[in-house]
Amino acid sequence: MKDQPSPIRETDDEARKLARVLLRSARYAAIAVLDPENGFPLASRVLLATDIDGTPVILVSGLSAHTKALARDPRASLLTGEPGKGDPLAYGRLTTQCLAVSVERGSAVHERIRTRFLNRHAKAKLYIDFPDFLFFRLKPVHASLNGGFGRAYLLDGDDLIIQSPANEEVAAKADETVQDLVERHPDIAETLATRLNAPESGSWRICGIDPAGFEMISGDFLLRYEFETLAVDSDHICSNISKTAYSIP
């Protein structure tokens, strides 16, 4: 009997980009942890954001079962990828195996993540500072990408992370950078939405930047755009976004 060909394709740059977009464009995710009481997988849904380096971030209540599970065993798995009309298995999805690390309240990392999270989830302002709520950074270890039928790939955790010396500088000036960009180009968000074929919705706004790209949000819609190459600083990010909006296709 002949050996069956492997269903796993060789991981290439296109697959890595799709995986990053599926993770960074997700407003929420299914999370699976290990129940400390019986060892069974325990699945739930969490709001999702990303840190400046692309590491997924969740905000959870200390009273929830999945938070208690992560305190005992930091291993977790995220499922991201939004199905559309028709067969949901025909759409791309990413399973990311992670190690959860809690973020110390009041630290510089906490303040950075808090700002980025609220830029994406404004309604979380109602409870984000409650004493029993905390952030976890979910460090990717392995990932499995299904880009649709016949398109399966295995990735390393580092394939999902933004490896840039500019991360800290970009994070520190992110809100200022976006504000300056919008002041110089008041129509840039709507122009980007048109150029990138964003879903028809209300007003779009840029809600996050990093050296690898940017995100835009409108209501329940979130769009992620990845640059061709990493930006070296905030000015480079502005230039890349402007070119995306206004350059001739």
Side-chain angles (χ1 to χ4, degrees):
M1 183 175 179
K2 292 184 178 180
D3 292 336
Q4 294 294 319
S6 172
I8 305 299
R9 292 189 180 187
E10 183 177 352
T11 303
D12 54 18
D13 288 342
E14 181 180 352
R16 294 184 183 95
K17 180 178 180 179
L18 176 58
R20 292 192 298 265
V21 169
L22 286 171
L23 185 59
R24 296 171 191 169
S25 64
R27 295 176 56 250
Y28 57 88
I31 187 171
V33 296
L34 296 175
D35 191 323
E37 298 299 324
N38 54 35
F40 274 81
L42 173 68
S44 187
R45 179 179 293 156
V46 289
L47 292 182
L48 195 66
T50 57
D51 200 353
I52 189 65
D53 64 352
T55 298
V57 172
I58 59 174
L59 174 68
V60 291
S61 167
L63 303 177
S64 68
H66 48 276
T67 304
K68 295 176 181 178
L70 290 174
R72 293 279 295 273
D73 188 328
R75 290 176 295 174
S77 182
L78 289 177
L79 175 64
T80 53
E82 191 72 12
K85 294 181 180 179
D87 187 349
L89 298 184
Y91 294 86
R93 53 206 180 270
L94 179 73
T95 299
T96 309
Q97 295 174 321
C98 313
L99 291 176
V101 180
S102 61
V103 178
E104 182 182 357
R105 185 181 292 271
S107 65
V109 174
H110 183 276
E111 291 305 308
R112 179 180 72 223
I113 289 174
R114 181 184 184 279
T115 298
R116 291 178 61 85
F117 197 92
L118 287 175
N119 282 341
R120 182 181 288 203
H121 302 290
K123 291 182 180 179
K125 190 173 182 179
L126 296 173
Y127 53 83
I128 195 170
D129 294 322
F130 285 2
D132 63 314
F133 274 74
L134 70 157
F135 285 112
F136 281 99
R137 296 178 85 250
L138 302 179
K139 181 182 178 182
V141 178
H142 302 290
S144 174
L145 168 66
N146 189 320
F149 290 121
R151 298 174 61 201
Y153 305 88
L154 298 178
L155 297 91
D156 293 327
D158 286 346
D159 289 326
L160 304 175
I161 297 300
I162 302 168
Q163 310 282 355
S164 171
N167 283 342
E168 296 294 332
E169 181 264 340
V170 169
K173 298 169 59 178
D175 286 350
E176 178 185 343
T177 300
V178 173
Q179 182 178 352
D180 180 64
L181 183 62
V182 172
E183 287 178 353
R184 287 188 283 118
H185 304 288
D187 67 337
I188 193 165
E190 295 305 323
T191 302
L192 285 166
T194 300
R195 175 60 63 88
L196 301 177
N197 297 316
E200 292 187 9
S201 183
S203 178
W204 285 86
R205 64 179 176 86
I206 299 171
C207 65
I209 61 171
D210 54 61
F214 63 93
E215 289 109 32
M216 297 174 55
I217 194 168
S218 177
D220 293 334
F221 295 110
L222 180 67
L223 183 150
R224 170 73 185 186
Y225 182 83
E226 293 267 308
F227 301 141
E228 292 298 323
T229 58
L230 289 178
V232 299
D233 56 28
S234 297
D235 289 339
H236 195 183
I237 291 174
C238 287
S239 176
N240 282 347
I241 295 175
S242 297
K243 288 178 181 178
T244 303
Y246 300 115
S247 64
I248 299 175

